[in-house]
Amino acid sequence: MHVFSTLFDAKSVDNELRTEEGCREAVKWCRKTGVTKVYIESFRKVFIEREHLEKLRDFFEEEGFKVDGCVTPVGFPKPGTRYGEVPCLSYLPNCELLEEIFRRTAAVFNTIMIDDFLFTACECDECKKELGGRSFADYHADIMHEVSIERIIKPAKEINPNCKIIIKYPNWYDIFYHGWNDGGYDVIRQTEVFDQIWAGNETREPDSEYWGRYPQTMAAYVMSWDIKLGERYGGKCMGGWYDHFSTLPATYLEQARNTILGGARESMLFCYKQLHESKEGIIDVATFRTERESLHRLAYLIENKKMTGVSVPKKPNADAETEKYIAGMYGMLGIPVVPDIELDKNAQAVIFGAQAVKYPNVRVYAKDMLAAGKSAAFTEGFLAYTNFEIPADSNAVVFKPDGDIWNLTKIPQNELDSLRNYLLTPFGLKFYAPSRVGLSLFDDDMEVIQNFNDNPVDITVSIDGRNGKSRKIVLTLSDGKEAQIKRVRKEYILTVPSRTLIVLN
């Protein structure tokens, strides 16, 4: 069964959870929300004493919750010069504090999650002395690797050999390595050394300039890509994390739906204090509660099925220099995508974007795919960077975002149907729908459709070459609205209400 969890951040731990009344209110809220697992934060600018952490751990375990710890590494003596929330890691007292935090936390919890502030973006004189000819991005990656081992993992396991440490990667998957101001993540070495990884799936309102204008389907892409990354090291990716900031209820639910569609086994609702006290959070979580059982049903339906579709490779530690986050946009065009961390020679269809340009021999791979008659699409950014020339006799598609990936959602439906169905040819399916309608495929007999529009849409699905068993709507996630379905031979004609997800099986 899918697990819904929440975080008691250090501010909550140090305030409302100091009282019996506050703890009882938290239990009541969790049970009403369907949360069965809690994370208790030991540090986020304030340090919580061991005795209080132990008291809360024991209290929530006695109430029947699974309990783990959390650390958010912000609020250190010397902040970084280019992003003050995170520390300078050339400064020894910062590193010593980090070690103390994890020693003290590991003494209480067998699992510790690290919120996505485990990076550094400092270019102070002390950091410059340590460069040794490296770029700041390379230096920051090296020092993060060293600090991860020497100041986090080793100290924690010395105190508690059974302690598992989880690193949560943020949603900025196309700038992991360089991050903000050349301070990011080394997802290869860090995934290798940490016990588990998590995905930050915060997409929020898609028109929010402040939060990045992320498409809702990006949550599923990020989740799936992190799972593929974790599989390289024995299946390390466990869950996804999202919040309520700048979300209307429909968008908040879309984060939840797409985290599950991406394959998460656990969803973190960040965080108790915000969802319990802020006006926006209270509204979002009230809506979440109405859909919680349906989300469990969605997770159950896809649990033992394999996601299939068009391969979209994204090379780890190779940041996209153009067309950032375009990989998460394809889902908004009704293209069922499968994130890959390697170039899949067995792929039936591939989209080559800026995320793939740094694979060795990617031009040869693209040429071989086309020569083998596979469906392929390219972005302008890929073609410009690689100087790849699409063969004249190819039907390959070219995506032209023209500086803004959201321009792709303006493609007229007749053009979108044509390019989409070319990519879908190997999967025995045709999909006729306007933009902002998502399609996900699981095995050869299940389709998940999402309407992200604020109005109902008419859709036609043809499964002539796919598993021909009769389809019906087996699940609808909506605010009380019902989808309509009519079968005409092997075509299914649907009307899907606004902001609705349906499962065909």
Side-chain angles (χ1 to χ4, degrees):
M1 189 173 186
H2 192 82
V3 173
F4 290 107
S5 58
T6 197
L7 170 70
F8 298 121
D9 69 354
K11 191 172 184 179
S12 283
V13 173
D14 199 33
N15 288 278
E16 52 264 35
L17 297 189
R18 290 280 181 185
T19 68
E20 176 75 13
E21 181 183 9
C23 290
R24 291 294 172 193
E25 174 62 22
V27 167
K28 178 182 176 182
W29 183 93
C30 288
R31 288 179 176 154
K32 187 175 181 180
T33 309
V35 164
T36 58
K37 183 176 181 180
V38 299
Y39 293 78
I40 298 173
E41 195 169 64
S42 65
F43 183 88
R44 182 188 295 249
K45 297 185 179 179
V46 296
F47 218 150
I48 309 300
E49 73 275 15
R50 176 174 175 173
E51 293 77 12
H52 186 44
L53 294 173
E54 290 176 335
K55 181 180 178 180
L56 289 178
R57 177 199 63 194
D58 295 345
F59 171 80
F60 282 100
E61 286 182 347
E62 288 170 3
E63 291 293 330
F65 294 91
K66 176 74 170 64
V67 182
D68 287 332
C70 185
V71 169
T72 300
V74 296
F76 281 64
K78 181 183 177 183
T81 58
R82 302 190 69 186
Y83 188 74
E85 284 287 303
V86 296
C88 166
L89 292 177
S90 301
Y91 185 60
L92 182 59
N94 282 351
C95 295
E96 291 173 338
L97 175 57
L98 191 65
E99 181 174 335
E100 182 186 359
I101 290 167
F102 280 90
R103 284 185 180 275
R104 287 171 55 173
T105 308
V108 181
F109 301 104
N110 287 327
T111 300
I112 305 168
M113 188 186 296
I114 308 172
D115 195 358
D116 57 14
F117 289 85
L118 188 60
F119 63 97
T120 184
C122 187
E123 297 183 5
C124 70
D125 290 341
E126 202 165 354
C127 288
K128 290 176 181 177
K129 291 177 183 178
E130 299 293 332
L131 283 179
R134 292 170 289 185
S135 68
F136 268 111
D138 289 346
Y139 168 64
H140 290 147
D142 288 343
I143 197 171
M144 282 309 316
H145 181 245
E146 177 185 336
V147 165
S148 295
I149 295 172
E150 300 298 330
R151 301 294 184 171
I152 296 175
I153 297 169
K154 282 185 178 180
K157 292 182 183 291
E158 284 175 4
I159 295 296
N160 181 356
N162 296 319
C163 187
K164 292 182 171 58
I165 313 293
I166 304 168
I167 183 170
K168 173 205 168 191
Y169 295 135
N171 61 356
W172 22 283
Y173 66 91
D174 261 347
I175 54 171
F176 270 151
Y177 197 75
H178 288 85
W180 305 112
N181 300 316
D182 284 332
Y185 289 80
D186 184 336
V187 298
I188 295 176
R189 287 188 290 179
Q190 287 179 304
T191 301
E192 185 176 15
V193 299
F194 281 96
D195 296 292
Q196 294 177 11
I197 64 174
W198 268 57
N201 294 338
E202 304 94 336
T203 52
R204 309 181 178 103
E205 287 303 316
D207 61 353
S208 172
E209 292 285 350
Y210 179 82
W211 293 110
R213 299 176 67 230
Y214 300 127
Q216 293 99 307
T217 47
M218 190 178 94
Y221 181 87
V222 171
M223 191 74 246
S224 299
W225 188 87
D226 277 23
I227 288 173
K228 286 284 180 71
L229 178 66
E231 286 173 352
R232 178 188 277 184
Y233 302 97
K236 289 190 174 184
C237 187
M238 302 303 294
W241 166 317
Y242 47 89
D243 59 41
H244 73 289
F245 298 120
S246 186
T247 60
L248 296 172
T251 316
Y252 185 78
L253 290 179
E254 285 160 354
Q255 291 181 124
R257 296 168 184 175
N258 282 276
T259 293
I260 290 173
L261 284 177
R265 284 171 273 180
E266 180 181 334
S267 296
M268 159 74 80
L269 313 182
F270 180 87
C271 65
Y272 167 71
K273 187 174 186 66
Q274 294 291 334
L275 295 173
H276 181 246
E277 295 181 3
S278 73
K279 180 179 179 181
E280 190 178 60
I282 290 170
I283 294 171
D284 281 349
V285 84
T287 307
F288 170 85
R289 287 167 177 161
T290 67
E291 191 165 288
R292 184 186 68 239
E293 292 305 317
S294 294
L295 290 168
H296 278 299
R297 176 67 177 165
L298 177 63
Y300 173 79
L301 286 171
I302 69 172
E303 183 177 13
N304 295 314
K305 289 185 174 290
K306 179 181 178 182
M307 179 186 292
T308 61
V310 182
S311 173
V312 180
K314 150 71 182 166
K315 184 174 173 59
N317 283 0
D319 293 348
E321 297 180 14
T322 62
E323 302 171 338
K324 291 181 178 65
Y325 309 118
I326 194 173
M329 178 61 74
Y330 301 131
M332 301 294 286
L333 307 181
I335 301 170
V337 299
V338 177
D340 278 312
I341 62 171
E342 305 289 354
L343 298 176
D344 182 3
K345 293 182 179 179
N346 296 315
Q348 298 301 304
V350 186
I351 298 177
F352 296 89
Q355 299 77 13
V357 298
K358 294 179 183 177
Y359 283 104
N361 300 318
V362 67
R363 288 165 51 90
V364 174
Y365 172 75
K367 183 178 179 180
D368 289 346
M369 288 289 107
L370 290 170
K374 305 295 180 68
S375 298
F378 301 85
T379 69
E380 286 182 312
F382 178 91
L383 296 176
Y385 188 96
T386 61
N387 291 317
F388 183 80
E389 294 186 6
I390 301 173
D393 60 351
S394 168
N395 293 320
V397 171
V398 178
F399 289 108
K400 301 177 180 180
D402 192 27
D404 183 354
I405 60 173
W406 281 97
N407 285 333
L408 297 179
T409 63
K410 299 175 184 178
I411 299 174
Q413 183 177 340
N414 62 332
E415 294 180 28
L416 185 56
D417 288 341
S418 177
L419 70 84
R420 182 201 297 125
N421 288 331
Y422 160 70
L423 289 170
L424 287 173
T425 300
F427 308 102
L429 169 131
K430 292 183 179 179
F431 189 65
Y432 301 90
S435 180
R436 299 179 190 250
V437 176
L439 173 66
S440 302
L441 305 179
F442 293 90
D443 285 344
D444 65 350
D445 65 347
M446 181 179 287
E447 298 83 31
V448 178
I449 297 170
Q450 297 183 81
N451 179 14
F452 298 103
N453 292 283
D454 291 322
N455 53 274
V457 295
D458 294 322
I459 297 167
T460 298
V461 183
S462 171
I463 59 168
D464 187 55
R466 198 161 153 81
N467 186 316
K469 76 173 189 180
S470 180
R471 300 292 201 272
K472 61 181 180 180
I473 298 174
V474 297
L475 180 66
T476 301
L477 276 65
S478 188
D479 61 350
K481 301 185 287 286
E482 292 294 328
Q484 305 297 319
I485 184 170
K486 179 175 67 174
R487 180 177 181 178
V488 180
R489 292 181 292 277
K490 291 189 177 182
E491 286 189 348
Y492 294 84
I493 301 170
L494 303 111
T495 299
V496 181
S498 63
R499 312 304 283 270
T500 294
L501 177 150
I502 63 170
V503 180
L504 300 180
N505 190 222

